[in-house]
């Protein structure tokens, strides 16, 4: 069933609902990490897993409840004639409990995890679009909280971004690329720029990446966002390299795309379209992301490194990787977490940690970049400590790509 079909069916139930029927619940259920399961066990196994999950959900529903599979491991449950709004939350918790035990697939038992968002009419809306959007918002709360089943709470619309709004912004090319310069410290020259996605919605204003990127990762929109980011960033950096031929590009890579079989060909195709060599591109992956699935991360990064890309371990020092894994990952750069850089002038222990990271990186033949440089004394101290590169507001804030390119043009002229 498509989302349009679901909206039509929900609208029909709302139109047929009488005042004495009781509340109508909408429950979004998503099977987590299905993409990783597909990579590990194959497409057929993932289809069997989704079918088994659908069957298990159906077993705990009431007669008259409607279960619809929207996509892969995503399901919508329509709950007519509830006693009250808490009745919908109880239904969600019943679904959660059935996945406390592994799911049986033939002769094998496989663990499964779900997250659930719930909204209820008329309390949370009286039209299909609003109810589904608010169930989506509740699902986002469940993903980010300790409870894996959440009901929509009044007033959270402004805090969480609707799925449809982000989807339309990506497909409608309404996001922007901003570029932040990266400085080579020993020479004081421009080394490259980091590409950062920015979103300004006409009604909501500026929406920070810390809100829309997790939503993209949680809902599967990260695939479309990555494709947009690749093409848009490479288009701008190709133009910038006409003024500065050695300019490099740093681009963040979400762990949610690691399992895509076509991610490397997709990146290579984008490079070919815009005429940017892989040696000019540094792909940044957070330390924590690498450790979500070290084996998968290692395979992907080795292939990307073989193609000629540079690999940066972002936010280094904030995660939990071991030196054993650090030795295995084919990284070319350590990027020091801004939390250590911000305190560099005031905290001797931060100085010791930063110096240790710089020394570690150099011993492993990696470059070291410090982010979050906000004043001149910090920049000078990092230079004396032997740090290779730096970025931060003191050097320059992220700016629209067109402004960045115009600045390069004036410098060359």
């Amino acid at each position: 069933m498509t989302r349009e079909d679901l909206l039509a069916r929900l609208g029909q139930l709302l139109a047929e609902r009488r005042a004495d029927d009781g509340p109508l619940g909408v429950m979004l259920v998503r099977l987590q990490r299905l993409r990783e399961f597909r990579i590990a066990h194959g497409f057929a196994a993932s289809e069997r897993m989704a079918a088994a999950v659908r069957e298990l959900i159906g077993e705990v529903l009431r007669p008259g409840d409607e279960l619809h599979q929207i996509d892969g491991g995503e399901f919508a449950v329509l709950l007519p004639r509830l006693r009250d709004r808490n009745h919908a939350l109880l239904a969600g918790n019943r679904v959660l409990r059935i996945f406390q035990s592994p799911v049986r697939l033939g002769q094998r038992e496989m663990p499964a995890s779900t997250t659930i968002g719930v909204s209820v009419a008329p309390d949370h809306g009286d039209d299909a679009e609003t109810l589904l959007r608010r169930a989506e918002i509740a699902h986002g709360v469940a993903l980010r909280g300790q409870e894996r089943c959440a009901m929509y709470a009044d007033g959270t619309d402004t805090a969480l971004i609707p799925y449809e709004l982000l989807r339309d912004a990506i497909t409608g090319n309404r996001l922007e690329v901003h570029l932040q310069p990266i400085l080579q410290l020993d020479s004081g020259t421009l080394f490259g720029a980091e590409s950062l996605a920015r979103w300004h919605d006409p009604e909501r204003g500026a929406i920070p990446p810390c809100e829309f990127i997790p939503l993209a990762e949680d809902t599967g929109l990260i695939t479309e966002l990555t494709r947009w980011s690749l093409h848009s960033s490479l288009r701008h950096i190709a133009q910038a390299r006409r003024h500065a031929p050695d300019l490099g590009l740093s681009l963040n890579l979400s762990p949610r795309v690691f399992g895509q079989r076509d991610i490397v060909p997709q990146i290579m195709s984008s490079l070919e379209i815009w005429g940017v060599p892989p040696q000019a591109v540094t792909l940044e992956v957070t330390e924590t992301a690498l450790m979500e699935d070290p084996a998968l991360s290692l395979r992907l990064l080795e292939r990307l490194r073989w193609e000629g890309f540079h690999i940066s371990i972002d936010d280094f020092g904030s995660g939990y990787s071991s030196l054993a894994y650090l030795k295995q990952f084919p990284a070319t750069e350590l990027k020091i977490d801004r939390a250590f850089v911000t305190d560099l002038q005031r905290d001797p222990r931060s100085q010791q940690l930063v110096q240790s990271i710089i020394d570690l990186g150099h011993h492993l033949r990696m470059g070291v970049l410090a982010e979050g440089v906000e004043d001149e004394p910090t920049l000078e101290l990092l230079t004396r400590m032997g740090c290779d590169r730096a970025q931060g507001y003191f050097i320059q804030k992220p700016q629209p790509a067109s402004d960045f390119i115009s600045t390069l043009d004036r410098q060359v002229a």
Side-chain angles (χ1 to χ4, degrees):
M1 171 177 276
T2 66
R3 287 181 178 274
E4 290 71 22
D5 293 336
L6 176 63
L7 285 169
R9 178 55 184 155
L10 178 55
Q12 181 181 358
L13 288 177
L14 287 167
E16 295 172 351
R17 176 178 168 272
R18 298 191 302 270
D20 59 352
D21 280 345
L24 169 66
V26 178
M27 184 163 63
L28 286 181
V29 183
R30 287 199 177 100
L31 180 62
Q32 298 302 298
R33 303 185 69 84
L34 184 61
R35 184 180 295 108
E36 290 86 345
F37 182 90
R38 182 180 298 120
I39 296 300
H41 302 285
F43 183 82
S46 71
E47 290 288 293
R48 291 196 299 273
M49 171 64 84
V53 166
R54 175 171 181 154
E55 183 177 349
L56 288 169
I57 295 173
E59 289 176 357
V60 298
L61 299 179
R62 306 168 303 164
D65 292 342
E66 296 185 13
L67 173 60
H68 302 285
Q69 188 169 358
I70 304 173
D71 180 33
E74 183 178 5
F75 306 89
V77 183
L78 306 182
L79 305 165
R81 298 181 177 84
L82 296 171
R83 292 191 301 272
D84 52 44
R85 58 192 296 175
N86 289 329
H87 195 186
L89 201 55
L90 289 172
N93 284 310
R94 280 201 307 271
V95 171
L96 279 184
R97 283 196 295 273
I98 63 177
F99 296 105
Q100 292 176 352
S101 302
V103 175
R104 178 168 290 280
L105 296 179
Q107 301 301 313
R108 305 170 63 184
E109 290 188 338
M110 307 295 293
S113 176
T114 58
T115 45
I116 299 172
V118 178
S119 65
V120 175
D123 293 14
H124 303 144
D126 54 12
D127 65 275
E129 182 72 39
T130 299
L131 283 171
L132 191 58
R133 178 169 58 85
R134 290 181 168 176
E136 189 76 62
I137 290 172
H139 183 267
V141 172
L143 278 168
R144 293 164 178 78
Q146 294 182 343
E147 300 294 333
R148 291 183 296 125
C149 178
M151 178 177 284
Y152 172 79
D154 293 336
T156 54
D157 296 65
T158 56
L160 292 170
I161 311 303
Y163 169 93
E164 293 81 3
L165 190 66
L166 177 57
R167 180 196 60 197
D168 293 345
I170 296 172
T171 58
N173 197 30
R174 291 196 286 273
L175 303 182
E176 296 181 355
V177 170
H178 283 212
L179 295 172
Q180 183 174 33
I182 298 171
L183 190 67
Q184 183 71 32
L185 293 184
D186 56 3
S187 63
T189 57
L190 181 65
F191 175 83
E194 180 178 4
S195 174
L196 301 165
R198 294 292 184 263
W199 181 16
H200 189 280
D201 181 72
E203 295 183 2
R204 292 171 175 258
I207 301 175
C210 62
E211 292 185 14
F212 70 81
I213 291 178
L215 174 63
E217 291 180 328
D218 295 339
T219 60
L221 287 173
I222 194 63
T223 300
E224 288 77 10
L225 180 58
T226 298
R227 187 179 299 112
W228 171 87
S229 179
L230 274 171
H231 282 287
S232 299
S233 302
L234 289 169
R235 174 170 61 88
H236 289 300
I237 212 67
Q239 185 177 352
R241 281 168 62 87
R242 296 173 193 155
H243 308 289
D246 295 328
L247 189 72
L249 171 70
S250 290
L251 194 65
N252 293 281
L253 195 62
S254 169
R256 295 295 184 269
V257 303
F258 280 17
Q260 294 179 19
R261 294 181 180 177
D262 65 341
I263 185 61
V264 176
Q266 183 183 142
I267 296 174
M268 296 302 295
S269 174
S270 297
L271 290 175
E272 185 177 353
I273 290 171
W274 298 110
V276 177
Q279 293 79 12
V281 178
T282 297
L283 298 171
E284 297 187 10
V285 186
T286 64
E287 181 184 5
T288 304
L290 290 173
M291 298 307 296
E292 285 190 9
D293 190 334
L296 178 61
S297 299
L298 180 60
R299 289 196 301 272
L300 176 65
L301 296 186
E302 282 181 337
R303 185 174 176 194
L304 289 168
R305 187 73 189 100
W306 184 85
E307 293 284 0
F309 294 94
H310 297 281
I311 305 296
S312 178
I313 300 181
D314 196 6
D315 297 339
F316 187 78
S318 65
Y320 49 89
S321 65
S322 69
L323 291 179
Y325 278 117
L326 184 60
K327 180 183 70 173
Q328 292 181 43
F329 288 130
T332 58
E333 180 183 83
L334 296 181
K335 191 169 185 179
I336 304 173
D337 183 67
R338 67 177 61 247
F340 302 120
V341 177
T342 301
D343 293 335
L344 205 55
Q345 292 293 319
R346 301 183 298 273
D347 185 1
R349 297 195 69 179
S350 289
Q351 291 185 25
Q352 293 168 355
L353 282 168
V354 169
Q355 187 66 69
S356 297
I357 294 172
I358 293 171
D359 294 341
L360 174 63
H362 289 167
H363 285 314
L364 294 174
R365 299 181 180 179
M366 299 181 194
V368 181
L369 187 155
E371 63 178 341
V373 177
E374 298 184 354
D375 53 60
E376 187 173 9
T378 298
L379 186 65
E380 292 175 349
L381 180 55
L382 286 165
T383 303
R384 293 197 300 271
M385 295 171 77
C387 188
D388 300 294
R389 295 178 282 278
Q391 67 183 108
Y393 279 16
F394 175 73
I395 298 168
Q396 194 169 68
K397 294 181 179 181
Q399 57 184 316
S402 57
D403 294 347
F404 178 89
I405 295 168
S406 296
T407 301
L408 282 180
D409 191 17
R410 289 194 298 269
Q411 290 172 350
V412 172

